[in-house]
Amino acid sequence: MTEFLQQLGKNTHTSFTKLGRASFFLLQTLSGILSVLARPRLLLNQLYSVGVLSFLIITISGLFVGMVLGLQGYYILSDFGAEETLGVMVAASLVRELGPVVSALLFAGRAGSALTAEIGLMKATEQLSGMEMMAVDPIKRIISPRFLAGLLSMPLLAALFSAIGIIGGQLVGSGLLGVDEGAYWSQMQSNLDFKDDIINGVIKSIVFGFVTSWIALFEGYDAIPTSEGVSRATTRTVVNSAFTILGLDFILTALMFGDN
Amino acid sequence: MANSAPPKNSLVSVQNLSFSRGKKKIFDDISLEFERGKITAIMGPSGTGKTTLLKLIGGQLFPEQGTVIVDGNNVHRLRRAELYDLRKRMGMLFQSGALLTDMNVFDNVAFPLREHTHLPESMIRTLVLMKLQAVGLRGARQLMPNELSGGMARRIALARAIALDPMMIMYDEPFTGQDPISKGALVQLIQSLNNILGLTSIIVSHDVQETAAIADYIYVLSEGKIVGQGTPKEIEQSPSEWVQQFMNGAPDGPVHFHYPAKDYVDDLLSTGKRY
């Protein structure tokens, strides 16, 4: 029993210490953002590697998720003779939930893990230390541009995911299953609300972009500088990001759509 | 212990420094002086905290007690901006080279110039080529770090370290893992840079011959203490067993071959334990 309590205390202490380090790291990162804006080239390079290089996985996944939604939605709605509302169902699912959540999970797997590995290896090969000794702040030069790039890319990628998904749903719904194309689009237009659906979805994706980039960069920066340490940190990024995204999604959904 | 008086005209002065990692005491109240314009070596077996000492001098680590004075500044009392200003005048050559792997050789050497100066690109080009010429690798400017041999990477890192014309350079194990030709090139480079540019050099190394050949003054560290200090000649003739074991590479002596363990026979006869 004593051992159990000791272990519990130790683990709690370790977790809180890490949370403290992570919070301090976030403050430093945020304070470096102004200097990134003064050097947009640093940001552009990262927007390319964090955002543009995630296009393919987001596009293909979005297309298939939309197509599956089209199929499943059609089977359920046609039982009630409501297949005309397929567009609403597909779009609402994507814009409110699947767009922000699935693209954030994919982003954590594709870009988040890459960021952790990159920063962890820079630490292991003393590149960050080297920068410090050259009087260059690695937070401002390396971390902040990547953080801002993640924050800006996430809502755009989520929007792309939803847009491609809606097209995928339409391809299956109208193309294969014979739902009227006009009804697909017009029902969607008249039933989806800009503020309640689209803006809320965008807010979610900004929050997910924020936490995923934070987790990925912190795990890399805090990694034990060995091959095993970097590998563990990369795994932690994906796992912790997934938990955080799904947990936050529940909270945000409850806050945003609770009144309806 | 061989003893000539420690140098007086110090650029770097380490006073009564103590530092621990966890429960292990890395330095226990040590004091060292590094004279301006000279090459001072810190030698000792692996794991004696030689690299840690450089990080303490560079302000990357904080001591438990004691002070580090660099050019009149107490490193650990400086504000961040002041520390960064000081670091611009302190070059450091890391054991791994620590080149930025996403940039080619030219951009690596240009990195500190681009970060800290507003010089036009044409002037940066001239400066970078001069630094690369000094280390003999002007022709390798377009190579990426993964295309360089270990010796070349270290020379490029040296070119980068002198890019801002620092007052001193700290070398972390510059000869480790180098072939004899690269070692020779580095020995010559360190000495000529020190003499021509009027630098102060601190070399951390366990390569006895190379280091003793160019050092003006040597400190030998072991188990958190200074076990010997003096000119290379004095160190060579030191009566200290520690120093002799290290300089002659004897496998056993005051630094034991065996890691501390319980009695060998007892250990073999104790059954029922996995380890």
Side-chain angles (χ1 to χ4, degrees):
Chain A
M1 186 64 187
T2 324
E3 264 184 32
F4 170 76
L5 285 176
Q6 268 182 348
Q7 195 59 40
L8 187 71
K10 193 180 165 195
N11 290 348
T12 314
H13 181 255
T14 312
S15 304
F16 275 96
T17 316
K18 189 167 180 180
L19 192 65
R21 283 202 308 274
S23 307
F24 185 62
F25 173 82
L26 180 65
L27 282 181
Q28 285 181 303
T29 306
L30 292 176
S31 70
I33 283 183
L34 272 183
S35 65
V36 178
L37 296 175
R39 294 176 69 182
R41 182 147 196 90
L42 289 179
L43 177 64
L44 285 179
N45 289 343
Q46 292 313 316
L47 277 175
Y48 176 76
S49 64
V50 171
V52 177
L53 293 183
S54 303
F55 259 40
L56 190 65
I57 187 172
I58 292 287
T59 313
I60 293 175
S61 311
L63 184 68
F64 280 109
V65 168
M67 284 163 68
V68 169
L69 275 177
L71 275 179
Q72 293 282 16
Y74 179 82
Y75 294 143
I76 294 171
L77 293 173
S78 59
D79 283 347
F80 304 100
E83 58 269 28
E84 306 288 289
T85 57
L86 180 67
V88 184
M89 200 219 97
V90 170
S93 317
L94 280 167
V95 172
R96 285 180 177 192
E97 290 297 333
L98 294 173
V101 173
V102 178
S103 56
L105 292 174
L106 292 169
F107 181 78
R110 156 68 186 75
S113 57
L115 284 175
T116 305
E118 185 190 15
I119 305 293
L121 283 171
M122 285 183 92
K123 189 179 179 187
T125 51
E126 294 183 307
Q127 292 182 52
L128 297 182
S129 234
M131 252 182 216
E132 270 184 24
M133 282 309 296
M134 283 188 280
V136 176
D137 185 350
I139 299 268
K140 282 187 185 158
R141 182 64 174 68
I142 300 289
I143 305 290
S144 295
R146 283 161 175 76
F147 179 80
L148 194 54
L151 191 62
L152 295 176
S153 303
M154 194 61 256
L156 297 174
L157 291 171
L160 179 75
F161 184 95
S162 298
I164 298 280
I166 290 169
I167 293 172
Q170 191 261 329
L171 284 178
V172 170
S174 310
L176 286 179
L177 303 168
V179 175
D180 181 65
E181 198 175 335
Y184 184 89
W185 293 111
S186 63
Q187 289 277 355
M188 190 190 307
Q189 278 180 338
S190 57
N191 284 302
L192 244 59
D193 185 76
F194 182 72
K195 181 181 160 290
D196 279 348
D197 297 311
I198 295 174
I199 294 292
N200 278 344
V202 171
I203 292 174
K204 275 187 180 179
S205 59
I206 292 174
V207 172
F208 297 158
F210 187 96
V211 291
T212 311
S213 309
W214 177 22
I215 291 173
L217 291 167
F218 175 69
E219 287 294 353
Y221 199 74
D222 202 50
I224 299 167
T226 59
S227 17
E228 196 197 358
V230 175
S231 129
R232 279 173 183 235
T234 311
T235 311
R236 275 202 304 273
T237 289
V238 178
V239 174
N240 291 350
S241 297
F243 282 149
T244 315
I245 289 164
L246 295 171
L248 277 176
D249 183 47
F250 175 74
I251 295 169
L252 289 172
T253 306
L255 289 175
M256 289 168 172
F257 301 100
D259 298 340
N260 294 352
Chain B
M1 187 188 288
N3 253 328
S4 61
K8 288 275 162 34
N9 179 22
S10 306
L11 179 67
V12 180
S13 171
V14 174
Q15 295 159 358
N16 307 107
L17 186 84
S18 293
F19 182 80
S20 303
R21 274 192 199 279
K23 283 178 186 163
K24 193 183 175 204
K25 196 118 191 157
I26 308 281
F27 300 120
D28 186 7
D29 195 24
I30 61 164
S31 298
L32 309 97
E33 300 289 332
F34 301 90
E35 195 179 349
R36 280 176 201 271
K38 300 285 184 191
I39 301 177
T40 308
I42 302 159
M43 306 185 76
S46 303
T48 39
K50 302 188 293 294
T51 305
T52 307
L53 183 61
L54 293 188
K55 291 194 168 173
L56 283 160
I57 294 174
Q60 286 188 295
L61 294 174
F62 276 78
E64 269 158 36
Q65 67 169 58
T67 48
V68 176
I69 311 285
V70 176
D71 199 26
N73 300 290
N74 184 339
V75 172
H76 300 98
R77 287 278 172 86
L78 294 177
R79 293 213 308 265
R80 195 175 172 80
E82 293 168 332
L83 177 63
Y84 272 26
D85 275 342
L86 182 65
R87 280 184 186 161
K88 286 179 201 166
R89 299 189 288 139
M90 300 165 79
M92 177 149 174
L93 183 73
F94 283 82
Q95 191 172 348
S96 59
L99 294 176
L100 300 168
T101 43
D102 58 342
M103 295 180 187
N104 66 15
V105 163
F106 183 93
D107 289 333
N108 259 292
V109 180
F111 182 80
L113 294 166
R114 286 181 179 143
E115 290 291 321
H116 295 307
T117 68
H118 297 289
L119 295 173
E121 270 303 305
S122 58
M123 193 170 283
I124 286 183
R125 181 176 183 275
T126 311
L127 285 171
V128 170
L129 294 185
M130 284 166 68
K131 306 296 174 188
L132 285 173
Q133 175 73 10
V135 297
L137 290 172
R138 190 166 44 85
R141 76 188 92 158
Q142 280 167 333
L143 298 181
M144 293 300 285
N146 61 3
E147 297 172 294
L148 302 171
S149 69
M152 285 165 86
R154 235 166 268 189
R155 279 151 71 189
I156 299 294
L158 186 50
R160 188 177 66 175
I162 57 170
L164 290 173
D165 295 324
M167 60 184 176
M168 61 179 279
I169 299 195
M170 297 186 278
Y171 298 90
D172 186 5
E173 301 284 6
F175 312 116
T176 304
Q178 302 292 310
D179 63 70
I181 299 174
S182 299
K183 263 189 201 174
L186 279 164
V187 166
Q188 199 188 7
L189 259 178
I190 293 172
Q191 192 162 37
S192 60
L193 283 177
N194 198 80
N195 296 340
I196 295 166
L197 302 178
L199 295 168
T200 301
S201 305
I202 301 177
I203 302 180
V204 147
S205 179
H206 50 227
D207 290 277
V208 174
Q209 281 185 338
E210 287 77 12
T211 311
I214 51 172
D216 295 300
Y217 200 82
I218 296 176
Y219 288 98
V220 182
L221 298 183
S222 186
E223 297 185 356
K225 295 273 188 193
I226 297 169
V227 291
Q229 67 183 69
T231 60
K233 204 163 187 182
E234 287 169 331
I235 288 287
E236 203 177 303
Q237 291 161 357
S238 165
S240 158
E241 282 182 28
W242 292 88
V243 176
Q244 285 309 321
Q245 186 192 357
F246 180 73
M247 298 304 276
N248 299 320
D252 212 345
V255 178
H256 295 297
F257 172 70
H258 286 289
Y259 194 80
K262 63 179 179 179
D263 184 71
Y264 185 40
V265 177
D266 285 351
D267 211 357
L268 288 178
L269 293 177
S270 57
T271 52
K273 285 185 180 169
R274 192 163 170 221
Y275 293 112

